[in-house]
Amino acid sequence: MKKQHLFIDGKLTEAVHYTTLQAPYSGETLAEVASASAEETEAAIAAAVKARYAMRQMPAHQRADLLYKLSAMLQERKEEAARIVALEAAKPITAARAEIDRTIETYRFAAEEAKRLTGETVPMDAAKGGEGRIGYTMRQPLGVIGAITPFNFPMNLVAHKVGPALAAGNTIVLKPAEQTPLSAYYIANLLQEAGLPNGALNVVSGDGKTIGDVLVSHPDVAYLTFTGSPAVGTNIRSNAGLKRVTLELGSNAAVIVDKDADLDKVIPRSVTGAFTYQGQVCISLQRIYVHQAISEEFIERFAEAANQVVMGDPLNEDTVVSALITSKDVQRTLDWIEEAKQAGATVVAGGEAEGGILRPTVLVNVPRDAKVSCQEVFAPIVVINTVNSVEEGTQLVNDSMYGLQAGVFTNDIQTALRAVDDIEAGGVMINDIPTFRVDHMPYGGVKQSGIGREGVKYATEEMTELKFVMFNKN
């Protein structure tokens, strides 16, 4: 049986403890994976500290070349990488391939940003007493970055943290999700092969609290970037002291469908946003507010399309929905569906599980305080409610503790512009679903969806310190 050791200081390091990693769909054992202790996590931080000077002194063109080389290596091994994702995350293979394509592009974006870290001149003589002086700014790496990633995009969300960190000249201690550590170790091996200095990237898998507590409290960790639940994110921010943090904490993303929307385009797009990869996406479409003038037709056609979604083995080329990440999540979602039914909601598609797979589920007339509506469901469940106007829909979109991304389908430019102004979210997609994301755009939320922004350029800047320099010519 494969044994996956820790990756510390450029080499595989045997751990004291290991846990069995099983595939969510088949239940087969994939590996015995190292479970790092606090002491082993501290060793990884020490290796990152030791490598800081080498990364800080590495010229921008060399950092860019490393990242370009990584993207090229990943391109050559795309099918192998996609299979790892499909097995450990139960991500349908077509979606896994799409994730690898995005990951390749994300590292290319990072390579480009390594060469774009610029400062600016400051006109010192704009202030009295500034005459005869030259002022400018520069950006320098922060040092050791602590990165904690989730299971749902085990390659690309790692890239969104590792790529910008290396582009800026930092070193990293990466803690991947317990269910999907193999993807992170795979990238670490490729980077080592590409020539990354020892200790610049360290991967420690295992218990989130054990490793996370060390990363949050350790004085040598300068910055924390976390994608996960609001509860854990709040705890990180509360205990991080003066460390910088970026937190991406999820959502219950919504879309508004106006009366003039083209349903032939909107329905297939919305079905994709709601059910792709079992809805296990932070910006998966969870709430739909459709204008009452078209609601009956919309619901009927949407439910019919949901019933046609292909379920099964993630390695099957036709599969769209496979097993949820754990059996506990299957039971949780069934409980949430039952709660909504008891409160008056109607199931018009799905609502049942087949082993670890929850059938794509459509609920209508769902009360706003039902868990499937007001919390992040992270499953192939969508709720559809009727509204009388886009303005009413906007109020319901905002009636949430989250605010990551939202969408509006309308052909009225004034309606669209009002919605852009009024919707409380980090991103508003006009005539598209909130699930849309490309990897160079700014990405992050408001309210309990987090703080800070990802997107390679924006993350790279957040992982640097702005320094001001002044020369007195007098």
Side-chain angles (χ1 to χ4, degrees):
M1 185 185 301
K2 178 181 177 181
K3 206 167 191 178
Q4 178 60 66
H5 304 304
L6 303 170
F7 189 85
I8 298 175
D9 202 16
K11 58 183 178 293
L12 293 173
T13 304
E14 192 166 346
V16 174
H17 298 291
Y18 289 80
T19 59
T20 301
L21 179 68
Q22 294 179 312
Y25 175 75
S26 66
E28 68 174 299
T29 296
L30 300 177
E32 292 295 319
V33 179
S35 185
S37 64
E39 293 73 21
E40 288 162 337
T41 305
E42 289 172 357
I45 295 171
V49 170
K50 187 173 66 173
R52 282 187 306 182
Y53 183 78
M55 284 302 298
R56 187 183 184 91
Q57 296 302 310
M58 184 182 291
H61 69 87
Q62 288 185 15
R63 300 197 302 272
D65 286 346
L66 270 170
L67 291 162
Y68 279 129
K69 189 172 182 180
L70 172 61
S71 65
M73 294 165 71
L74 199 53
Q75 179 70 52
E76 293 172 359
R77 307 178 196 186
K78 182 168 74 172
E79 193 63 25
E80 179 185 6
R83 186 176 175 84
I84 292 171
V85 171
L87 286 172
E88 69 175 351
K91 177 168 283 192
I93 189 66
T94 53
R97 291 190 190 112
E99 179 178 348
I100 303 306
D101 285 337
R102 284 183 59 189
T103 303
I104 291 165
E105 188 169 56
T106 300
Y107 283 120
R108 287 177 182 159
F109 281 135
E112 292 160 9
E113 291 304 325
K115 297 183 283 187
R116 293 176 181 162
L117 281 170
T118 60
E120 62 181 4
T121 58
V122 180
M124 300 303 294
D125 60 355
K128 291 181 179 180
E131 299 88 348
R133 288 170 170 81
I134 297 171
Y136 65 91
T137 63
M138 58 189 296
R139 289 193 173 273
Q140 293 183 313
L142 293 174
V144 178
I145 306 296
I148 303 173
T149 56
F151 74 84
N152 57 330
F153 284 86
M155 289 277 186
N156 198 42
L157 290 184
V158 164
H160 272 283
K161 301 180 190 306
V162 170
L166 295 179
N170 296 292
T171 61
I172 315 137
V173 177
L174 170 65
K175 191 275 172 197
E178 289 181 71
Q179 179 57 46
T180 55
L182 301 182
S183 295
Y185 284 114
Y186 187 79
I187 290 298
N189 289 328
L190 290 186
L191 274 168
Q192 192 70 15
E193 188 177 333
L196 186 70
N198 291 344
L201 171 62
N202 307 273
V203 182
V204 284
S205 50
D207 177 66
K209 178 168 174 46
T210 300
I211 298 169
D213 286 351
V214 176
L215 291 176
V216 170
S217 63
H218 201 288
D220 287 329
V221 176
Y223 176 94
L224 293 162
T225 173
F226 169 80
T227 302
S229 72
V232 176
T234 301
N235 183 67
I236 287 173
R237 192 179 187 195
S238 298
N239 293 290
L242 295 179
K243 285 182 174 67
R244 296 188 190 183
V245 295
T246 292
L247 305 173
E248 197 275 278
L249 306 179
S251 190
N252 57 347
V255 73
I256 303 167
V257 183
D258 201 0
K259 61 181 179 294
D260 59 3
D262 183 348
L263 298 190
D264 289 339
K265 295 179 180 178
V266 173
I267 289 174
R269 187 71 175 137
S270 298
V271 168
T272 296
F275 302 131
T276 295
Y277 184 38
Q278 296 88 269
Q280 294 174 138
V281 182
C282 293
I283 42 177
S284 181
L285 177 54
Q286 185 174 329
R287 298 181 290 154
I288 300 176
Y289 298 107
V290 58
H291 196 285
Q292 57 87 21
I294 59 170
S295 61
E296 186 174 341
E297 179 185 0
F298 183 95
I299 292 168
E300 181 180 347
R301 291 176 60 180
F302 193 98
E304 182 180 348
N307 286 327
Q308 301 303 312
V309 173
V310 177
M311 304 178 295
D313 188 334
L315 296 180
N316 186 324
E317 296 286 341
D318 297 324
T319 296
V320 175
V321 170
S322 188
L324 289 174
I325 196 68
T326 70
S327 58
K328 290 181 180 179
D329 285 290
V330 177
Q331 188 58 54
R332 172 184 60 81
T333 53
L334 290 172
D335 290 344
W336 287 16
I337 292 168
E338 184 59 32
E339 179 209 51
K341 289 166 60 178
Q342 293 297 322
T346 301
V347 178
V348 296
E352 300 172 339
E354 298 179 10
I357 300 175
L358 181 74
R359 296 185 63 84
T361 298
V362 183
L363 297 162
V364 298
N365 301 320
V366 180
R368 56 170 291 279
D369 58 351
K371 289 186 178 73
V372 291
S373 180
C374 67
Q375 297 187 30
E376 184 176 37
V377 69
F378 231 59
I381 298 174
V382 66
V383 303
I384 305 176
N385 283 345
T386 300
V387 294
N388 294 312
S389 65
V390 171
E391 289 74 19
E392 182 186 356
T394 298
Q395 293 175 5
L396 292 169
V397 169
N398 292 343
D399 184 23
S400 171
M401 62 182 176
Y402 298 112
L404 187 47
Q405 292 195 163
V408 180
F409 286 96
T410 182
N411 291 318
D412 187 317
I413 186 63
Q414 295 299 327
T415 298
L417 290 171
R418 281 196 301 272
V420 167
D421 282 344
D422 294 343
I423 288 175
E424 299 166 356
V428 179
M429 311 296 126
I430 300 299
N431 290 326
D432 213 338
I433 51 177
T435 323
F436 175 81
R437 182 185 182 186
V438 288
D439 295 289
H440 65 303
M441 72 186 225
Y443 178 77
V446 300
K447 299 189 276 191
Q448 290 195 36
S449 284
I451 57 174
R453 291 294 181 270
E454 290 192 333
V456 181
K457 170 188 173 182
Y458 308 93
T460 304
E461 288 184 352
E462 291 206 22
M463 293 182 186
T464 62
E465 188 72 65
L466 187 68
K467 179 181 282 186
F468 174 72
V469 181
M470 188 276 289
F471 280 84
N472 186 347
K473 297 189 293 183
N474 296 320

